[in-house]
Each structure stands twice: as C-alpha cells, then as structure tokens.
C-alpha cells in the first residue's frame, strides 16, 4: 500500500495498477483527481449515455436542413423558431461531448506490454494518459464537440454583408455535413468499448432489434432532410437563373437577387417586380410545358407543397420519402439528366442496399435468437414423431411420449439448467443451488433435522426431474438409481412385499415427500460390495399427476454420506425411521401381527377358564355321589339326592355343549388364520449409523 500513498501524495510518475487495487486508490484520492477504471460500472454506464448522446446529436444535426422555407411567392427565409429549438438541444449535446473529452483525460488504459496474460495492468499516470489520448482520438472528439452550427447561424451569418437566406442555407449545410462525419465516427470506439466491457451493446434480443431499427430510421431521417435541403436549393437555383434573365434594361422593373429573400417582402420595388415577373411561372414544378429547367427527383417537394408546409407535416413527409427510397433502393425516383442529381441517386441506391441488408441481417439474427430454442424443439418433436412411426410404437405409448415432450418444453422452455450450472464457478453454483433447493429440501422432514453445511452439500448435487402422469418412477425389485424429492404433483407408492400373496400396501406422496430411501441405507454401508450393487426397490412408485421433483443420484448421496460423518446422530436415525415409508409399512405389519397374537392368546385363556369350570363341576358331582352311598339317608335325603342328580346332568350337558362350541370357535379361528394370516414382513435393513 505504500506505493498508493506515494501516488496520492505526489501524483507524479507512471504507476501501473491492477484492477483489484483500483478501489483502494479511489478511496485515497479525491474524486476530482481520480483516474477511472475503463471497466468500472460507472464508466460503463457513461459509455451508454454518450452512445445515446451520439444518436441524439446525429438526429439533431439534419434538422438544420429544415431551417430554409418558402416564406412567400418567389422568396426564401429562415425558420427562427426551429433554429432556436435545435440550437438549444444541440448545445446540451455538445456539453455531453465536452464532458466525455474530460472523462477520457482521466480514464486509465491497459499497458500494451502487460497484455500477454490476463487483463493486464492499468496505467494510472495522468500525464501518460493525456499524451496517449492527444495522439489518438482527441482531434476527432474535439471536432465533434465544437458548436460550429450555432456559431455560424447566430454570429457569423448575421455579421456578414450578404446575409441572405440562400447564403445562410449553403453555409450552414456545409458546416453541418462537415461536422457530421466526426460525430458519426466517434460512435465506433464507444460501441467497441461497450462490447469489450459488457459483451454486447443490447442485452436482450428485442432491444438489439430496436437498436438496429433506430439506426435504419436515423439513416432515413438524414436522407429525407438532405432531399429537402437539396429541393430548396434547386428551387432557389431556378429563381436565380430566371432572375438573371430579367436583369437588363429591357425588362422593367429589373430583377434584383435580393428580391429572392423574404426580408424584402412588402417593399414597393419588389411588389412592382412581382406583378410583372415571369420567375414564379417559369419555376413552377407543376408546369410540364416548360422544359428549360428540370426539377427531376425534387419536383415532389413543390407539387405536394412540402416546402411551404408546417414543420411536423414537412418532417414526416421527408422521413417517409427517405424510408421509402432506402427500402426500395431508389427504384421509384424519377431523375433528370443532371450529373449531380444522378450521383445523389446512386448514393441512395448503394446506401439503401447496404443499410437494408444490415438491418435485415441483424434483426433476423436478434429475432431468431428469441425463437431458436422453439425451432430446436419443433425439430426434435418432428424427429421424435418420425422415429415413433418408423418403430411402429403403439398409439398409447406415442401419446405418452408426446405428453412428456410437451411437458418438458412447458417446464423448461428448452433450457438445459444442468449445463448452465456446470459452466458457473463453484461458489456461484452453490449459492444458486441453495437459493433454488434449500427451502424445498427443508420441507422434507428427514432433511429438516440436518445442519446447513450438510444441506448445502445435498443441494449442490440435486438435479431437476420431470415426469408426466401414469409414469413409473421406479418398480418394485428394480435397482434404485436416485432419491426423489417431490416439489409439485402426486405419486402413488405401493408394495406387495416381494410379490407375496395376500399383501398389498399403498400410499400417496405429495409435495414435501420423498421416495427411494433405500439409497440412504446403501450409502451408509461401509462394505466394498455396495459400490457395485445398488439396492433393490421395495416399492413401486407411479406418478398420478405431472410431477416436478429434485433427484439426488446414488453416487452423489454416497459421496455426501462419506464426507459428512454427522449422519450417525441418534436424532437423524430416529427421524429416518419415523419418516421412512418402508419403516412405516413394517411397523404397521408388526403391530397387526402383535394384535393377532394377543387375540389368539386371549381366546386361549378364555377356553382354559371354561375347561377349568367344567372340571370343577365334575369333581363336585363325584363327591356328592360318594356321600349318598356311604350315609344312612332318609326319605328327604333321597329327594335331595334326586335334585342334585338333575343338576349334575344339566351341568354335564352344558359343559359338553361348551366344549363343542369352543372346538368350533378354535377351528373357525384356525381356518380364518389360514386364510387371513399375514405373511411375514421382514424388518427393513437399518442404516449402520455408528459404522462411520
């Protein structure tokens, strides 16, 4: 930083600076002494401003050609109102040109000897910058910035002794044409500087087409203004020739060239001459009988009263005339035999051919860039149709292909997002992927438990996946290639547990859900054979609607799992079990099997209780019979014995019926179990979180 301090204090010597050091320099040097970076955003904006200023200046200068007008029969005058308007805005444009010269004296340049590698080093020495600028384009910039037309029309012409409208017209036209060349030339280095800094002048196709159309309209504007001023000069030339014929002693009153200026309107001498002169009649463009003077291609300016019309009508007619003849290469122009007029028509033809070809070529290129991808899609769709007809695909399969192609075009417009992201630097690509995917990944409950660094690694490797309805994303038993995180749409995830009879489980997944969790288990297995064999899918996933998702491929997931050891946390392990549909299915089957075991155990306990009751009743009957055999019973005892005997018979019948019912119930339960018994649902392989 010491050399920067020395430069800020002394401001002497040639001191090259790199682009990265320029910001430090600006903070140390006052703004009025700063040396600008040619690639800075401020100077880039100024280049666009000065380019627009050049276009405005090129539009304003031909307006001086509309100053001479036909003010009265046989005379010409200057339109002062239009002159003031054009002078004011041209002076403003000249101020911008002088500011541009000042900025170029303070704009650093790249040393030619440092362009071997990289962007080179900046030369910050103001003396070296000034010497280089004076030797290169200072003369052209100064010639374009000088207010020559203002000086001529407001100072030189009024001070001259022969200050007529015709004299002002000739002088002003010459000055404007002379200064128009440097003003046109300075556009080229500005245009190159913009392209070098930003890559293009117009950042969009439509702005580029509009820019070229403005240039073509500007050329038509210049051509129409030139045709108008030449028409006025042609009319004045006719008046001058006819007036010279009446400048003799035989014609009374004699013609005076000052009569052709409208400043003499109302004077008695001009009024007397106007009553007897033939100048007006002989110079009438509508008089076809007089062949002494030919108006040629300028007759329309007088036959349509263009020269005496108001400025808006006059201007738009001349603009239409220039645009019409540029587009038709001057084919509709009726010229005279004068060499100057013929040369002007040749210039119109050549310029029309060049400008129109340039316009059509550039606009076609800009407009084709907007429809290039559409044409590519049409060609690809046509090739797809021809291929399907050649292979004789079934109609339903052809419809599915067409739906996918149309959906892919609607979703992406033919833009290869993956290729665009791969062309960007790593940090920029990571930031873009984070912006696009982080919120969507966090909607997945399992990934919402992870930290930002791990989520960034996952987002960096996500790719877009598009699927139409009724499309199988993965089938049960096929290798799982990727995990899908659904953004929009719905899919159906079903399983038959390996095709076992009597088992079917189906769920619907929507935005925020994911499938293909088998890959996470596979990615965390530290064995070498997992590198070759991908896991088999335990479910069939089929799209119900059009599905847009992000896919995390198998090898990318394995890379993330190996690089980040924090996947072994218990929190992630429990989240994986809870949100995994495979684990949920296994849990549901496990609960169902436990419930059936509980019901069978409860039924067995009930049957055992009934059996115990039956045995107790039999023991009671046997004890009662022994008592009656041993005792010395009376008649009442015999009656009680008969009563107990009846009760025993009834109890034995009840136990017999109960046993028959229990056997039927057990046989029915066994029969139902043989029919409805769930197949054994194996527990999913649990990721070895601790092996990492």
């Amino acid at each position: 930083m010491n050399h920067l301090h020395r430069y800020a204090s002394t401001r002497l010597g040639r001191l090259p600076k790199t682009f990265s050091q320029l910001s430090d320099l600006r903070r140390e040097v006052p703004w009025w002494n700063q040396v600008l970076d040619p690639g800075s955003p401020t100077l880039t904006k100024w280049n666009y401003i000065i380019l627009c200023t050049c276009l405005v200046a090129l539009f304003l200068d031909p307006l001086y050609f509309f100053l001479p007008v036909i003010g009265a029969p046989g005379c010409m005058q200057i339109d002062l109102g239009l002159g003031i308007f054009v002078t004011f805005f041209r002076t403003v444009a000249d101020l911008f040109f002088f500011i541009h010269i000042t900025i170029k004296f303070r704009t650093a340049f790249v040393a030619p000897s440092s362009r071997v590698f990289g962007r080179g080093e900046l030369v910050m020495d103001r003396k070296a910058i000034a010497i280089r600028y004076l030797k290169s384009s200072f003369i052209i910039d100064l010639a374009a910035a000088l207010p020559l037309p203002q000086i001529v029309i407001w100072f030189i012409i009024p001070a001259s002794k022969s200050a007529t409208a015709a004299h002002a017209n000739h002088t002003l036209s010459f000055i404007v044409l002379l200064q128009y060349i440097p003003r046109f030339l300075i556009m080229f280095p500005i245009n190159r500087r913009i392209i070098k800094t930003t890559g293009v002048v117009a950042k969009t196709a439509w702005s580029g087409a509009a820019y070229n159309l403005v240039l073509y309209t500007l050329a038509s504007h210049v051509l129409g203004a030139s045709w108008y001023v030449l028409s006025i000069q042609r009319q004045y030339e006719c008046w001058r020739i006819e007036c010279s014929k009446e400048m003799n002693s035989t014609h009374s009153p004699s013609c005076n060239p000052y009569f052709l200026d409208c400043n003499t309107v109302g004077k008695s001498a001009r009024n007397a001459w106007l009553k007897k002169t033939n100048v007006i009649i002989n110079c009438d463009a509508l008089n076809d009988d007089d062949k002494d003077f030919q108006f040629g291609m300028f007759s329309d300016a007088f036959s349509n009263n263009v020269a005496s019309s108001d400025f808006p009508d006059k201007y738009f007619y001349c603009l239409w005339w220039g645009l019409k003849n540029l587009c038709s290469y001057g084919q509709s122009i009726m010229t005279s035999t004068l060499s100057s007029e013929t040369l002007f028509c040749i210039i119109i033809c050549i310029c029309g051919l060049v400008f129109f070809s340039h316009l059509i070529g550039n606009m076609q290129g800009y407009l084709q860039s907007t429809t290039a991808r559409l044409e590519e899609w049409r060609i690809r769709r046509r090739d797809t149709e021809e291929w399907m007809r050649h292979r004789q695909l079934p109609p339903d399969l052809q419809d599915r292909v067409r739906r996918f192609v149309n959906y892919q075009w609607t979703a992406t417009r033919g833009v290869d997002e993956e290729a665009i992201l791969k062309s960007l630097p790593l940090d920029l690509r990571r930031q873009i992927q984070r912006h696009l995917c982080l919120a969507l990944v966090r909607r997945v409950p399992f990934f919402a438990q992870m930290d930002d660094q791990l989520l960034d690694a996952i987002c960096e490797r996500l790719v877009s996946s598009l699927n139409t309805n009724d499309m199988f994303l993965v089938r049960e038993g096929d290798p799982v290639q990727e995990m899908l995180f659904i953004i929009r749409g719905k899919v159906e995830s079903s399983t038959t547990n390996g095709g076992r009879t009597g088992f079917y489980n189906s769920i619907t997944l929507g935005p925020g859900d994911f499938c293909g969790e088998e890959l996470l288990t596979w990615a965390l297995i530290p064995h070498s054979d997992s590198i070759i064999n991908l896991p088999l899918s335990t479910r069939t996933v089929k799209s119900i609607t059009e599905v847009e998702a992000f896919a995390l491929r198998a090898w990318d997931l394995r890379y993330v799992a190996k690089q980040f050891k924090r996947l072994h946390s218990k929190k992630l392990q429990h989240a994986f079990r809870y949100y995994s549909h495979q684990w949920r299915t296994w849990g549901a089957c496990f609960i169902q099997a436990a419930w059936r075991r509980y019901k069978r155990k409860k039924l067995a306990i009930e049957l055992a209780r009934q059996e115990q009751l039956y045995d107790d009743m039999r023991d009671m009957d046997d004890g009662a019979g022994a008592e009656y055999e041993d005792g010395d019973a009376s008649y009442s005892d015999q009656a009680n014995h008969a009563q107990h005997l009846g009760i025993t018979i009834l109890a034995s019948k009840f136990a017999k019926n109960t046993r028959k019912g229990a056997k039927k119930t057990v046989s029915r339960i066994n029969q139902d179990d043989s029919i409805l018994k769930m197949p054994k649902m194996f527990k999913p392989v649990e990721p070895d979180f601790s092996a990492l």
Side-chain angles (χ1 to χ4, degrees):
M1 299 295 295
N2 293 331
H3 58 280
L4 292 177
H5 289 290
R6 288 198 302 269
Y7 174 78
S9 60
T10 60
R11 289 175 288 178
L12 295 175
R14 178 175 177 176
L15 185 60
K17 296 295 171 192
T18 60
F19 289 91
S20 61
Q21 295 171 321
L22 191 59
S23 59
D24 297 334
L25 178 65
R26 288 179 177 176
R27 287 193 294 265
E28 298 176 6
V29 181
W31 65 269
W32 56 85
N33 287 329
Q34 285 184 5
V35 178
L36 301 176
D37 179 5
S40 63
T42 303
L43 205 58
T44 302
K45 292 180 181 179
W46 172 255
N47 289 332
Y48 276 105
I49 293 174
I50 198 63
L51 180 63
C52 295
T53 303
C54 290
L55 294 176
V56 172
L58 292 177
F59 171 80
L60 289 175
D61 285 354
L63 293 180
Y64 281 110
F65 293 163
F66 292 97
L67 293 184
V69 294
I70 304 298
C75 71
M76 184 187 305
Q77 67 180 7
I78 299 297
D79 189 350
L80 293 179
L82 180 61
I84 295 173
F85 174 81
V86 178
T87 300
F88 172 76
F89 285 100
R90 194 184 192 279
T91 304
V92 175
D94 292 341
L95 291 177
F96 277 89
F97 283 113
F98 279 111
I99 295 174
H100 181 62
I101 293 175
T102 305
I103 290 177
K104 293 186 72 173
F105 272 112
R106 299 177 180 271
T107 302
F109 65 94
V110 179
S113 59
S114 64
R115 294 179 179 176
V116 179
F117 181 77
R119 298 182 62 182
E121 295 182 348
L122 289 179
V123 176
M124 309 295 294
D125 185 13
R126 292 174 59 183
K127 183 178 180 181
I129 294 172
I131 294 174
R132 181 177 180 272
Y133 179 48
L134 290 174
K135 291 181 178 179
S136 57
S137 59
F138 173 74
I139 300 300
I140 297 178
D141 293 342
L142 182 62
L146 291 176
L148 297 181
Q150 296 96 304
I151 295 175
V152 170
I153 194 174
W154 298 108
F155 296 101
I156 297 179
I157 293 179
S160 62
K161 297 181 179 180
S162 58
T164 61
H167 177 69
N169 182 29
H170 288 81
T171 305
L172 189 61
S173 300
F174 175 75
I175 295 298
V176 169
L177 289 176
L178 185 64
Q179 199 176 19
Y180 205 80
I181 297 175
R183 292 205 167 198
F184 179 73
L185 292 178
I186 64 174
M187 287 185 60
F188 294 100
I190 297 173
N191 196 69
R192 288 195 304 267
R193 197 174 299 116
I194 293 175
I195 293 176
K196 184 178 180 180
T197 305
T198 62
V200 289
V201 176
K203 296 182 179 180
T204 62
W206 290 107
S207 60
Y211 176 69
N212 284 273
L213 186 60
V214 167
L215 293 179
Y216 190 78
T217 307
L218 181 62
S220 303
H221 163 70
V222 174
L223 179 61
S226 301
W227 172 76
Y228 174 79
V229 72
L230 291 176
S231 301
I232 294 296
Q233 291 180 359
R234 191 76 164 171
Q235 178 71 74
Y236 184 80
E237 183 69 17
C238 179
W239 289 343
R240 189 184 62 79
I241 293 175
E242 293 297 328
C243 182
S244 62
K245 295 179 181 179
E246 297 180 1
M247 292 175 60
N248 49 56
S249 56
T250 59
H251 189 279
S252 180
S254 178
C255 181
N256 192 332
Y258 287 100
F259 292 163
L260 304 180
D261 190 275
C262 289
N263 291 328
T264 60
V265 174
K267 294 183 179 181
S268 58
R270 188 180 187 281
N271 293 335
W273 166 80
L274 190 61
K275 293 178 180 179
K276 296 184 178 181
T277 183
N278 294 324
V279 173
I280 307 299
I281 299 176
N282 295 336
C283 293
D284 189 3
L286 298 178
N287 187 8
D288 297 335
D289 297 335
D290 188 5
K291 301 298 181 181
D292 294 337
F293 190 87
Q294 298 179 0
F295 283 91
M297 61 183 297
F298 307 110
S299 60
D300 293 341
F302 307 104
S303 60
N304 296 324
N305 297 323
V306 177
S308 58
S309 301
D310 295 334
F311 173 73
D313 299 335
K314 181 193 312 181
Y315 171 74
F316 286 111
Y317 183 88
C318 295
L319 179 63
W320 170 82
W321 189 93
L323 188 62
K324 177 187 70 172
N325 289 284
L326 271 184
C327 294
S328 62
Y329 313 137
Q331 296 180 4
S332 60
I333 298 178
M334 302 297 295
T335 63
S336 63
T337 56
L338 293 177
S339 58
S340 58
E341 188 174 339
T342 306
L343 182 62
F344 184 63
C345 291
I346 292 174
I347 295 175
I348 292 176
C349 292
I350 296 175
C351 293
L353 179 63
V354 173
F355 292 154
F356 192 74
S357 301
H358 183 269
L359 173 68
I360 295 300
N362 288 340
M363 291 195 67
Q364 183 180 7
Y366 281 114
L367 296 180
Q368 279 183 351
S369 64
T370 60
T371 59
R373 297 194 182 278
L374 180 60
E375 291 299 325
E376 292 178 1
W377 174 72
R378 289 174 178 172
I379 294 173
R380 186 166 60 252
R381 188 177 62 174
R382 184 187 61 190
D383 295 341
T384 303
E385 293 288 342
E386 293 178 356
W387 175 78
M388 290 191 298
R389 286 195 299 268
H390 175 69
R391 294 300 181 183
Q392 298 180 357
L393 298 182
D396 57 340
L397 196 57
Q398 293 186 16
D399 292 338
R400 293 180 60 186
V401 173
R402 294 189 189 99
R403 286 202 308 268
F404 176 76
V405 172
N406 293 334
Y407 176 66
Q408 188 182 32
W409 167 256
T410 304
T412 63
R413 292 295 176 181
V415 178
D416 189 355
E417 297 181 0
E418 189 173 355
I420 294 176
L421 289 174
K422 286 183 178 179
S423 63
L424 297 176
L426 179 61
D427 181 67
L428 189 58
R429 183 167 65 246
R430 183 182 295 113
Q431 294 295 329
I432 294 174
Q433 288 288 83
R434 180 183 177 89
H435 171 73
L436 294 176
C437 309
L438 184 60
L440 299 171
V441 171
R442 280 181 173 170
R443 288 167 57 184
V444 180
F446 173 63
F447 289 106
Q449 310 293 332
M450 299 181 181
D451 58 3
D452 291 340
Q453 188 177 6
L454 189 56
L455 289 177
D456 288 341
I458 294 175
C459 292
E460 186 179 350
R461 289 160 178 83
L462 289 178
V463 295
S464 178
S465 176
L466 302 175
N467 300 277
T468 57
N469 55 333
D470 298 331
M471 179 179 291
F472 287 93
L473 280 64
V474 64
R475 296 178 184 267
E476 186 176 356
D478 291 346
V480 183
Q481 304 285 344
E482 57 191 11
M483 288 185 69
L484 288 178
F485 305 97
I486 301 173
I487 305 173
R488 282 182 288 272
K490 295 181 179 180
V491 299
E492 180 187 11
S493 177
S494 60
T495 181
T496 60
N497 192 23
R500 295 177 183 268
T501 306
F503 184 89
Y504 181 78
N505 174 262
S506 176
I507 57 175
T508 301
L509 305 180
D513 294 327
F514 64 97
C515 57
E517 61 267 20
E518 297 88 351
L519 275 183
L520 185 58
T521 304
W522 168 83
L524 296 175
I525 296 176
H527 304 294
S528 60
D529 56 350
S530 63
I531 300 178
I532 301 175
N533 300 322
L534 292 173
L536 300 181
S537 176
T538 59
R539 309 186 69 88
T540 298
V541 182
K542 181 181 179 181
S543 59
I544 302 175
T545 61
E546 294 178 345
V547 177
E548 185 175 353
F550 280 113
L552 182 60
R553 294 167 182 170
W555 308 110
D556 294 332
L557 180 60
R558 184 174 182 84
Y559 173 80
V560 173
K562 284 189 172 296
Q563 292 295 322
F564 295 91
K565 307 299 183 181
R566 292 183 298 277
L567 286 175
H568 68 276
S569 66
K570 289 294 183 180
K571 188 177 181 180
L572 290 181
Q573 181 180 2
H574 293 317
F576 173 76
R577 290 178 179 178
Y578 180 77
Y579 293 108
S580 172
H581 297 289
Q582 184 183 3
W583 274 79
R584 287 186 177 185
T585 304
W586 175 83
C589 294
F590 183 82
I591 294 173
Q592 290 180 5
W595 175 254
R596 289 183 180 273
R597 288 195 302 270
Y598 169 74
K599 293 291 290 183
R600 286 197 297 269
K601 183 178 179 180
K602 185 178 180 182
L603 181 59
I605 294 173
E606 181 67 23
L607 290 176
R609 191 180 64 81
Q610 295 291 340
E611 288 287 345
Q612 183 66 30
L613 178 61
Y614 173 72
D615 292 339
D616 293 343
M617 294 180 67
R618 287 187 62 182
D619 293 340
M620 184 178 63
D621 292 341
D622 293 340
E627 181 180 356
Y628 284 112
E629 290 177 357
D630 296 337
D632 192 16
S634 62
Y635 179 77
S636 59
D637 293 337
Q638 291 178 359
N640 292 333
H641 178 268
Q643 184 179 3
H644 286 295
L645 182 61
I647 294 173
T648 301
I649 294 172
L650 291 176
S652 62
K653 288 182 178 181
F654 174 75
K656 184 178 180 181
N657 293 333
T658 302
R659 185 179 296 175
K660 290 181 179 180
K663 290 181 178 180
K664 290 181 179 180
T665 302
V666 172
S667 63
R668 185 173 63 253
I669 291 175
N670 293 333
Q671 185 179 2
D672 292 341
D673 286 345
S674 63
I675 296 174
L676 301 176
K677 184 178 180 181
M678 288 185 59
K680 185 178 181 181
M681 183 68 181
F682 294 101
K683 181 180 178 181
V685 180
E686 183 177 356
D688 189 3
F689 291 94
S690 61
L692 298 177

